[in-house]
Amino acid sequence: AQKITQTQPGMFVQEKEAVTLDCTYDTSDPSYGLFWYKQPSSGEMIFLIYQGSYDQQNATEGRYSLNFQKARKSANLVISASQLGDSAMYFCAMNGYSTLTFGKGTMLLVSP
Amino acid sequence: DTGVSQDPRHKITKRGQNVTFRCDPISEHNRLYWYRQTLGQGPEFLTYFQNEAQLEKSRLLSDRFSAERPKGSFSTLEIQRTEQGDSAMYLCASSSGLESYNEQFFGPGTRLTVL
């Protein structure tokens, strides 16, 4: 079975600062993918970034980067230069054969 | 807009009533997923279709829940004899299955409140 753990219920950051959201995972599958989604108050899940278990380099997408440490089974999301619009719930997820397993999420609040 | 759409966005019903939700995936996507999200939790997988075939169902999908995708396009999720514990956000997602990582695109969700 797959499991995603997000230990930070909430995080606060000031605008323009960087923030790291933690994610650890557990799986027995040799091949897997890790995702981060953003969920604003409107409810829609917005895909941010993906990291494959065999990818040699950490994934980056604009201001988002994924700090992937395979031996530690962690896949932390780093948001650089936070913006007010980054305030939302953030979910880490792992894909199985066909579905996604999500963590409980971290609420990020960006202050001016 | 060619994203995933869901209808209705909100539904309030009384305990014991039946409800049905609709999901229209991105048109070229052959995979469709239903998830349920309760307050303070991440989405939990319910069921998955490839074209019209329902390939996987979670143990969360009790006998009161049924999902269909009759022509491999839109899908419906029906809950019979609703209970207060069914109150949640029901999310639909679709994917093409072509990318190596099978990115899923989510709709805005249907928020169900059972009184």
Side-chain angles (χ1 to χ4, degrees):
Chain A
Q2 298 180 327
K3 185 176 180 181
I4 296 285
T5 303
Q6 295 180 255
T7 58
Q8 305 157 313
M11 290 286 285
F12 294 89
V13 67
Q14 278 200 312
E15 200 176 5
K16 300 180 184 178
E17 291 185 348
V19 63
T20 298
L21 306 183
D22 295 341
C23 172
T24 58
Y25 62 90
D26 192 21
T27 182
S28 56
D29 294 333
S31 178
Y32 50 89
L34 294 153
F35 299 75
W36 277 91
Y37 281 85
K38 172 184 178 181
Q39 188 178 43
S41 56
S42 58
E44 187 170 352
M45 300 288 285
I46 301 169
F47 167 76
L48 295 178
I49 196 167
Y50 167 83
Q51 178 83 43
S53 58
Y54 290 116
D55 292 343
Q56 295 297 312
Q57 293 188 330
N58 287 343
T60 60
E61 289 286 347
R63 294 186 300 111
Y64 304 108
S65 61
L66 201 151
N67 184 1
F68 181 49
Q69 298 186 46
K70 195 170 183 177
R72 297 181 62 182
K73 294 190 174 181
S74 73
N76 298 339
L77 177 70
V78 180
I79 306 175
S80 63
S82 298
Q83 301 173 355
L84 295 178
D86 294 335
S87 293
M89 282 291 290
Y90 288 80
F91 291 96
C92 180
M94 166 181 285
N95 68 335
Y97 173 67
S98 56
T99 65
L100 290 173
T101 300
F102 287 85
K104 290 189 175 183
T106 296
M107 170 66 78
L108 176 65
L109 291 177
V110 181
S111 61
Chain B
D1 183 33
T2 57
V4 178
S5 62
Q6 292 187 245
D7 183 69
R9 295 291 306 277
H10 303 274
K11 178 71 176 179
I12 300 174
T13 190
K14 292 183 179 179
R15 189 176 53 186
Q17 298 294 306
N18 298 346
V19 294
T20 299
F21 309 141
R22 177 179 170 125
C23 171
D24 287 89
I26 294 172
S27 59
E28 62 268 26
H29 285 183
N30 61 9
R31 297 184 181 184
L32 188 148
Y33 312 81
W34 285 99
Y35 292 84
R36 182 175 70 184
Q37 185 179 19
T38 54
L39 202 61
Q41 302 293 320
E44 296 174 292
F45 168 72
L46 291 178
T47 189
Y48 151 60
F49 291 85
Q50 179 145 335
N51 299 313
E52 65 275 10
Q54 189 173 18
L55 297 186
E56 193 171 342
K57 291 195 292 186
S58 162
R59 57 179 169 75
L60 295 175
L61 213 65
S62 75
D63 292 344
R64 297 184 297 105
F65 288 70
S66 63
E68 294 182 343
R69 194 181 183 198
K71 296 183 180 179
S73 55
F74 72 91
S75 175
T76 58
L77 177 68
E78 181 183 15
I79 309 175
Q80 295 182 328
R81 306 180 303 281
T82 53
E83 302 173 355
Q84 288 184 327
D86 297 331
S87 294
M89 174 79 89
Y90 290 84
L91 293 164
C92 176
S94 70
S95 72
S96 66
L98 296 177
E99 310 92 355
S100 61
Y101 54 88
N102 191 35
E103 179 186 343
Q104 295 183 22
F105 295 81
F106 282 80
T110 295
R111 185 171 296 281
L112 173 66
T113 302
V114 181
L115 302 176

